[in-house]
Amino acid sequence: MPLLNLGILAHVDAGKTSLTERLLHTAGVIDEVGSVDAGSTTTDTLALERQRGITIKSAVVSFPLDGVTVNLIDTPGHPDFIAEVERVLGVLDGAVLVVSAVEGVQAQTRVLMRTLRRLRIPTLVFVNKIDRRGARDTAVLRQMDRRLAVALVPMGTAAGLGTRAARFRPGLGPAALEVLADRDDGLLAAYLDGGVTEGRLRRALAAQTRSASVHPVYFGSAVTGAGVPELITGIERLLPTAAGDPDGPLSGTVFKIERGPAGEKAAYARLFSGTLRVRDRITFGDGRRGAGEAGRVTALNVFEHGTDTRADGAGAGRIVKVWGLGGIRIGDPLGVRDRPYEHHFAPPTLETVVVPGPGTDRRSLHLALTQLAEQDPLIGVRHDELRGETSVSLYGEVQKEVVQATLADEYGLAVGFRETTTLCVERPVGSGHAVEFDKKDGNPFLATVGLRVDPAPPGAGIAFRREVELGSMPYAFFKAVGDTVRETLGQGLHGWQVTDCTVTMTHSGYSPRQSHAHQRFDKSMSSTGYDFRGLTPLVLTEALRRAGTLVHEPVHRFRLEAPADTLGALLPVLARLGAVPESSGTHAAVCVLEGVVPAARVHALEQRLPGPTRGEGELETAFDHYAPVTRGPVPERPRTDHNPLNRKEYLLGFTRRVGGGADR
């Protein structure tokens, strides 16, 4: 039977998990519809999810329709867990975006739709909660048309709004023909020639939906079930099924990692090509962490009829749960990578130090945080050996609470946090070059390394290149330099990660393998990878010093709606917080301001907004870019390395590490 990997996405509290429950119930997978409030939903399996009533981790559940098997993936709605949504997007064939008929389009709704549109993922829209007081239909449609800026096709109308008897009346009206004909010259010609049959119209609807040109809109209620049967019909008839050749080379992508009670690691992956079987030895990972790794599949689960069950094998299109690949990480390819692993959303812009509570061992805490980072790489654990501190990067305060509760519930570790700070980056200002030669000018390492740092355009990331011949020394030494360059750039002249630059290796040299007569290899006379890993930070830091770096802070783009008569009181507040309005407009009695604000001031803006706007202001923000810090002192970040900025301190630390038995 054809497969469809379907994502359910929404702003928090739009009713996404409730819709998942209703879909499973309507499909006959569960006997009773679970309740988010009661903590009895199928996909919110974590104790913390049930306690808080929010989805934190993506979950997969399968159900059959008449002509297709659907693997449904429920995703978090809270913006603090956007990284979990990001990983799911790359494995979807189609999506349902849930919008509340009461609250309408919200900040996360716009972020999600922009990304779905950019990735051209076919998407249906379900306007939920038509049974709630304050529910709107036509007004929400107009709002979606204006704020989402996509082509919408109403699949019917809502009746009895705001009552338990609210229902969905299916039917394509004149608006559907107008939207579809705008994108189909043949359909427009047929209409002008005398009319379009219902069948022709629905074929055009299916084709344009599958190409992500239009988005059908359904109205309903996940609580009462209104509109859900029609939505299910749309899922089956309008969204494309999974493609892929089961006989082709194995190709898949890991989008989720979890650990079992005994610490065993399981990877969730979407298979795009080929067939995966138990006991297969496969490659995974790629150049993002060096050479790929290999492992043997010890167990395999597939998703069927509401649960995951053991299987001997699974083919293209399937979502699988795999055991046995110990070193696997989120984003890794299985077999051949046939598509890039992309970041669709901005990285975290906040950081906090995790403080061990009474009775919490620091080593146990570090291990627990490292395991959490396996499941969410953007947590970004950063350990400071000198101060004995561990920091994590975050999207927001709710995520901090979840990390705290997870450490307590799953690891028995009590922790607190220091004040959240903003994560900046450093970018080179100009070009800088440095070189150290083997056995010259106080170089204690048996290695020659020359590096040049050049600035690159914003968003370019880090590139490492060579101007020296690859055969001029063993490849392992080049790899040691390249890996150490990327590691060293994690802390620039001011302690922040250095990005958007090209590092070029200009000089290389080594002491060939030597040994005394009839004796073993002498490390004191021959270069090893440790020499290159030790020398590279000194050379790169000096090149950075000569290039100069500028600290950039994250800047958010904001959209603010407020009563037009409050604008006079609002503008001074924005100015004091460094927010810069770039455009404004008025709709009826509402003023809309759009502009930029430093990420560090977003929380303060949220807190101060109710006063001047009489509690009616609506703020939407999202990361936009990094900009040079122009106000106040340049922010510094404490270093967690052995400080190559201070040559004497660095070499003393190196001597202690060697003296302590470090392997050269």
Side-chain angles (χ1 to χ4, degrees):
M1 184 180 291
L3 291 165
L4 167 61
N5 296 299
L6 178 72
I8 305 290
L9 300 90
H11 187 97
V12 66
D13 290 335
K16 171 180 47 59
T17 299
S18 297
L19 176 60
T20 299
E21 289 293 306
R22 179 60 65 177
L23 289 171
L24 296 177
H25 180 264
T26 304
V29 170
I30 57 177
D31 295 329
E32 294 184 11
V33 177
S35 166
V36 173
D37 294 335
S40 58
T41 57
T42 304
T43 53
D44 285 345
T45 56
L46 298 178
L48 190 58
E49 291 178 313
R50 296 180 183 275
Q51 292 165 13
R52 296 185 65 100
I54 61 173
T55 300
I56 297 170
K57 296 292 183 183
S58 57
V60 182
V61 64
S62 180
F63 63 88
L65 299 179
D66 289 340
V68 63
T69 296
V70 177
N71 287 326
L72 190 149
I73 308 176
D74 186 18
T75 62
H78 198 285
D80 279 14
F81 308 105
I82 193 68
E84 194 75 22
V85 179
E86 172 178 273
R87 294 188 280 272
V88 168
L89 289 173
V91 307
L92 298 182
D93 302 304
V96 174
L97 181 64
V98 184
V99 179
S100 169
V102 180
E103 289 84 9
V105 174
Q106 296 174 279
Q108 190 78 340
T109 317
R110 283 164 50 87
V111 171
L112 292 169
M113 180 54 90
R114 279 199 301 266
T115 308
L116 290 166
R117 182 176 57 184
R118 179 166 57 83
L119 298 176
R120 299 199 66 79
I121 296 175
T123 303
L124 310 182
V125 179
F126 185 74
V127 181
N128 190 28
K129 301 184 181 181
I130 64 170
D131 59 318
R132 297 282 185 90
R133 179 179 299 179
R136 302 161 295 153
D137 53 355
T138 305
V140 170
L141 263 179
R142 286 199 299 266
Q143 187 188 48
M144 288 194 297
D145 183 63
R146 176 168 56 90
R147 298 189 63 181
L148 298 182
V150 295
L152 304 170
V153 178
M155 299 300 291
T157 58
L161 284 170
T163 70
R164 293 286 293 183
R167 60 194 185 279
F168 178 61
R169 292 175 174 169
L172 292 175
L177 176 58
E178 181 179 338
V179 172
L180 295 170
D182 276 349
R183 291 157 182 80
D184 186 334
D185 292 341
L187 188 67
L188 178 60
Y191 171 69
L192 295 175
D193 285 343
V196 176
T197 65
E198 180 81 3
R200 174 72 181 272
L201 191 63
R202 292 195 175 275
R203 286 193 298 274
L205 174 65
Q208 293 189 34
T209 302
R210 288 170 185 159
S211 66
S213 300
V214 302
H215 304 284
V217 180
Y218 298 82
F219 293 88
S221 167
V223 172
T224 67
V228 174
E230 290 81 5
L231 175 64
I232 288 178
T233 300
I235 291 171
E236 183 178 2
R237 296 180 180 176
L238 299 178
L239 294 179
T241 54
D245 179 7
D247 298 320
L250 178 66
S251 177
T253 298
V254 175
F255 66 92
K256 178 178 177 178
I257 297 286
E258 67 180 22
R259 286 184 179 268
E264 68 277 16
K265 187 184 290 187
Y268 289 71
R270 160 74 189 270
L271 300 181
F272 295 102
S273 173
T275 298
L276 183 64
R277 298 179 179 84
V278 177
R279 293 183 293 279
D280 278 355
R281 185 169 180 81
I282 65 170
T283 58
F284 60 89
D286 57 15
R288 293 180 302 115
R289 301 198 314 274
E293 302 180 43
R296 191 176 302 279
V297 177
T298 58
L300 184 70
N301 278 19
V302 297
F303 294 87
E304 293 179 335
H305 303 287
T307 187
D308 56 308
T309 59
R310 286 295 165 96
D312 293 328
R318 283 277 194 181
I319 288 179
V320 295
K321 191 175 178 181
V322 187
W323 285 265
L325 309 179
I328 201 159
R329 292 177 61 106
I330 287 171
D332 277 352
L334 299 183
V336 179
R337 183 185 287 280
D338 71 342
R339 60 190 66 198
Y341 181 72
E342 298 182 274
H343 289 299
H344 309 303
F345 302 107
T349 57
L350 302 174
E351 184 178 57
T352 185
V353 174
V354 185
V355 181
T360 295
D361 176 68
R362 290 182 181 273
R363 292 184 180 180
S364 299
L365 174 58
H366 182 62
L367 177 61
L369 287 170
T370 301
Q371 291 188 358
L372 290 183
E374 286 180 348
Q375 302 169 35
D376 186 353
L378 292 180
I379 283 180
V381 175
R382 182 174 180 266
H383 187 58
D384 185 341
E385 294 181 6
L386 302 178
R387 298 170 183 81
E389 296 176 348
T390 301
S391 303
V392 293
S393 52
L394 304 166
Y395 279 97
E397 296 299 315
V398 172
Q399 191 180 10
K400 184 194 291 186
E401 296 172 18
V402 168
V403 170
Q404 184 179 41
T406 302
L407 289 172
D409 295 348
E410 297 185 13
Y411 296 91
L413 301 175
V415 302
F417 299 93
R418 291 196 191 148
E419 183 180 358
T420 302
T421 57
T422 304
L423 276 172
C424 299
V425 299
E426 292 182 49
R427 287 176 173 149
V429 176
S431 297
H433 179 257
V435 60
E436 297 221 14
F437 294 96
D438 187 1
K439 303 185 183 74
K440 290 185 179 180
D441 301 323
N443 175 10
F445 301 99
L446 298 178
T448 294
V449 174
L451 297 170
R452 186 179 67 248
V453 176
D454 296 300
I462 298 168
F464 177 67
R465 297 172 182 167
R466 290 183 298 268
E467 286 182 352
V468 293
E469 293 290 336
L470 187 59
S472 61
M473 66 181 187
Y475 174 75
F477 295 165
F478 283 115
K479 184 177 185 304
V481 173
D483 291 347
T484 307
V485 162
R486 292 183 173 86
E487 181 181 341
T488 304
L489 289 175
Q491 300 182 72
L493 304 182
H494 300 278
W496 304 103
Q497 180 178 2
V498 181
T499 187
D500 300 334
C501 65
T502 299
V503 179
T504 304
M505 190 170 185
T506 59
H507 295 75
S508 65
Y510 73 108
S511 294
R513 183 182 181 96
Q514 298 183 34
S515 60
H516 299 291
H518 310 297
Q519 293 183 9
R520 299 174 61 190
F521 165 55
D522 187 348
K523 291 182 180 179
S524 68
M525 301 170 61
S526 311
S527 298
T528 68
Y530 195 74
D531 289 295
F532 289 89
R533 290 191 294 271
L535 180 59
T536 297
L538 285 174
V539 178
L540 180 56
T541 302
E542 181 59 29
L544 277 175
R545 198 197 310 262
R546 295 174 181 179
T549 65
L550 193 60
V551 176
H552 290 63
E553 64 180 338
V555 175
H556 283 216
R557 181 156 294 280
F558 73 84
R559 185 180 191 278
L560 199 162
E561 289 191 5
D565 63 353
T566 67
L567 187 60
L570 185 58
L571 289 176
V573 174
L574 295 176
R576 284 194 296 270
L577 294 174
V580 181
E582 296 177 340
S583 65
S584 64
T586 303
H587 304 281
V590 176
C591 178
V592 179
L593 294 176
E594 294 188 7
V596 293
V597 59
R601 309 296 180 88
V602 169
H603 186 58
L605 179 55
E606 292 171 340
Q607 291 181 316
R608 298 183 192 181
L609 186 61
T613 63
R614 301 191 296 269
E616 299 179 47
E618 294 184 11
L619 178 67
E620 172 188 330
T621 69
F623 172 84
D624 189 68
H625 65 282
Y626 287 95
V629 174
T630 57
R631 298 160 59 122
V634 175
E636 301 280 341
R637 189 189 199 192
R639 302 192 73 88
T640 61
D641 57 10
H642 294 278
N643 193 15
L645 286 169
N646 186 322
R647 184 182 182 89
K648 182 177 180 181
E649 177 184 318
Y650 178 84
L651 291 178
L652 281 174
F654 169 77
T655 302
R656 287 195 295 269
R657 295 197 298 279
V658 173
D663 179 21
R664 292 192 75 245

